[in-house]
Amino acid sequence: MFSIIRASLKENLPEMLTCSQQIQDLDDLRQYVNETLSHNHQLEPGAFAMTERILIRGGRPCGLFFCLHGPRSVKLTAIWENEGDTILFYDSAGERFGKTRLLASPCLQLAAA
């Protein structure tokens, strides 16, 4: 019974956006993340503050966490995982809505310095 319910729920879910992107440097990465989060939630790109944090695994930087602080305390997030060259995008409910595979990515060591 549960498999039938689970299958019908999957049919009604929108397909997650997946694409590829070439990023030259950290500024390009920030701009791409800001534009993707903004466009998906019908916000003006650059109109709201975006913060970022370096993610550490085993004492070494492994990615960046981005948070776009939208209107009415809405927070939209993205995580760039540099080893897999992937950016995962999340909406205000914490549900993933997109995934981007980077063709070329910036050096995270520069961001950690």
Side-chain angles (χ1 to χ4, degrees), residues 25-38:
D25 56 28
L26 288 173
D27 288 334
D28 285 351
L29 178 65
R30 290 178 185 105
Q31 181 179 351
Y32 177 73
V33 168
N34 190 300
E35 288 175 358
T36 302
L37 291 172
S38 296

Side-chain angles (χ1 to χ4, degrees), residues 4-13:
I4 295 171
I5 294 171
R6 198 174 293 142
S8 65
L9 286 175
K10 285 184 180 181
E11 291 172 7
N12 295 328
L13 293 175

Side-chain angles (χ1 to χ4, degrees), residues 80-99:
W80 168 49
E81 192 272 314
N82 72 328
E83 287 180 16
D85 287 331
T86 303
I87 307 170
L88 302 174
F89 296 93
Y90 299 89
D91 63 18
S92 59
E95 301 223 3
R96 189 165 71 190
F97 70 85
K99 177 180 180 178

Side-chain angles (χ1 to χ4, degrees), residues 30-88:
R30 290 178 185 105
Q31 181 179 351
Y32 177 73
V33 168
N34 190 300
E35 288 175 358
T36 302
L37 291 172
S38 296
H39 285 298
N40 190 269
H41 294 85
Q42 299 175 355
L43 301 173
E44 183 68 31
F48 298 96
M50 187 170 76
T51 58
E52 63 185 66
R53 302 243 188 249
I54 296 175
L55 302 175
I56 306 292
R57 181 185 307 139
R60 296 183 2 203
C62 64
L64 288 172
F65 172 81
F66 297 93
C67 182
L68 181 68
H69 304 270
R72 298 173 300 282
S73 300
V74 169
K75 293 183 181 177
L76 312 168
T77 58
I79 296 175
W80 168 49
E81 192 272 314
N82 72 328
E83 287 180 16
D85 287 331
T86 303
I87 307 170
L88 302 174

